[in-house]
Amino acid sequence: MPKKAKPAGTGQQEGPVPCKQPKVEAAGGPFTLNFDSPGGFFESLISPIKTETFFKEFWEQKPLLIQREDPALATYYQTLFRLSDLKGLCGRGLYYGRDVNVCRCVHGKKKVLNKDGKVHFLQLRKDFDQKRATIQFHQPQRFKAGDLLYFPRGTIHQADTPPGLAHSTHLTISTYQSSSWGDFLLDSISGLVFDAAEEDVEFRAGIPRQLLLQVETTADARRRLSGFLRTLADRLEGSHKLLSSDMKKDFAMNRLPPFHVGDGAALSTPGGQLPRLDSIVRLRHKDHIVLTVMPDQGGSDETQGKMVYIYHSLQNRRDTHMMGNEETEAHGLRFPLSHVDALKQIWNSSAISVKDLKLATDEEKESLALSLWTECLLQVV
């Protein structure tokens, strides 16, 4: 199969859509970034917009601008501000009282240790280290990641530094690349043709002699191709099966491993009880697993049959993600097509008994569970 080329942007986009600037209510207190989980971080990043609202009203539809200039939100990005940042800021002209307060608690009362005039970082650090003082930095969003702007796929944009500033930082997060309907169609069409050619002799008939030597395709050839495409569309509407080619595999290969606190090796080391025939099991990290039916990647063209493939991102390396040295091999398992119903049972169940899997023998049932457990994709509950 030819390797898909990534389509280049044409620059021809729909007219601009006004950004929505949400009203931020201060009564609920300041928002903070949440690093406890990917979902929690995303929710805090777009707050006060709700996740459901974002995907319903803005995702792939129109831009969203969230401005955090309200003083009530001054601590929103406090997790991104460090003492070391003050060194550079002091050189830009900070003043005691207006920008910084140095204070400490003495006998239950606040004592201000401010000097006069400009703040010098060495003095600030001395008070911090020797006097154990607290440094209160007012409105850090004046100098740090103040706004969040989302715009849909294909929006042409340019980052610009506001007048009067030597520099500014723009953090661009790209997502959902190579996930358009066009990409999905390119990925799916080969599977449709594979099935049709197996069952319909017309798809296996030879093309007209010398067709490939002609500069322009003949009218008869275009009619035949149009008829084949209509046949494929009819087959697709009447079937629940759709062979995937590369898209699911690429998704698993290029995805970050699951969010995990602690030793990352735990994601690639089986844990818990060994599954047996009478065990109740369920999938682990389901959001990081894809299941697909594909032509056998190891078979010859003449004997190529279908196999069930499971790909996952558990063993992907976080430290090299999108660093120019992407994974060259996908992590996962391959099973005979006879295992597809049993795998769907596991996939669609919150928990299931190994002995209830739709396989011919108990040995096959236990072997399937053990294979998934060894790959850290299954746990006994």
Side-chain angles (χ1 to χ4, degrees), residues 157-192:
H157 64 285
Q158 174 179 312
D160 192 18
T161 300
L165 294 182
H167 69 277
S168 61
T169 300
H170 302 264
L171 177 63
T172 301
I173 303 175
S174 299
T175 184
Y176 226 52
Q177 294 180 343
S178 302
S179 299
S180 67
W181 279 111
D183 295 307
F184 192 62
L185 181 60
L186 286 172
D187 183 66
S188 305
I189 195 72
S190 60
L192 287 171

Side-chain angles (χ1 to χ4, degrees), residues 256-276:
L256 281 169
F259 176 78
H260 180 72
V261 178
D263 185 8
L267 293 174
S268 56
T269 304
Q273 293 180 321
L274 200 70
R276 300 297 186 188

Side-chain angles (χ1 to χ4, degrees), residues 166-355:
H167 69 277
S168 61
T169 300
H170 302 264
L171 177 63
T172 301
I173 303 175
S174 299
T175 184
Y176 226 52
Q177 294 180 343
S178 302
S179 299
S180 67
W181 279 111
D183 295 307
F184 192 62
L185 181 60
L186 286 172
D187 183 66
S188 305
I189 195 72
S190 60
L192 287 171
V193 175
F194 182 90
D195 280 347
E198 277 193 329
E199 302 174 13
D200 191 339
V201 69
E202 290 294 323
F203 280 80
R204 302 196 300 273
I207 61 176
R209 292 177 57 252
Q210 299 186 338
L211 177 64
L212 301 180
L213 298 178
Q214 299 174 6
V215 176
E216 296 182 354
T217 308
T218 64
D220 181 64
R222 291 196 298 271
R223 283 194 295 271
R224 292 290 299 274
L225 286 173
S226 297
F228 286 138
L229 291 174
R230 293 187 186 95
T231 300
L232 293 177
D234 292 340
R235 289 177 61 93
L236 178 60
E237 290 189 354
S239 173
H240 297 290
K241 298 179 180 179
L242 187 61
L243 288 182
S244 173
S245 179
D246 294 318
M247 207 167 177
K248 287 187 175 182
K249 179 180 178 180
D250 291 344
F251 176 75
M253 285 178 60
N254 296 296
R255 189 175 189 186
L256 281 169
F259 176 78
H260 180 72
V261 178
D263 185 8
L267 293 174
S268 56
T269 304
Q273 293 180 321
L274 200 70
R276 300 297 186 188
L277 187 63
D278 59 350
S279 298
I280 305 295
V281 297
R282 66 182 176 193
L283 279 178
R284 299 178 62 201
H285 310 294
K286 184 177 179 180
D287 289 343
H288 290 262
I289 308 170
V290 295
L291 186 154
T292 185
V293 176
M294 297 173 60
D296 185 1
Q297 303 296 294
S300 64
D301 293 339
E302 293 78 12
T303 61
Q304 196 175 45
K306 296 176 185 176
M307 300 288 288
V308 186
Y309 287 86
I310 288 183
Y311 298 112
H312 63 83
S313 65
L314 271 64
Q315 298 176 28
N316 291 358
R317 294 182 58 183
R318 183 176 295 272
D319 58 336
T320 60
H321 179 67
M322 297 187 70
M323 294 297 293
N325 49 353
E326 287 79 11
E327 297 282 346
T328 57
E329 294 184 4
H331 302 291
L333 300 168
R334 183 180 70 165
F335 297 98
L337 188 61
S338 58
H339 285 49
V340 66
D341 289 335
L343 287 166
K344 287 181 179 179
Q345 283 180 281
I346 298 174
W347 187 274
N348 294 323
S349 302
S350 57
I352 188 172
S353 174
V354 174
K355 64 182 178 182

Side-chain angles (χ1 to χ4, degrees), residues 6 12 25 53 118 148 151 176 233-234 246 264 296 332 370:
K6 295 183 178 179
Q12 298 178 356
E25 299 293 341
T53 302
K118 287 187 177 181
L148 181 143
F151 42 80
Y176 226 52
D234 292 340
D246 294 318
D296 185 1
L370 182 60

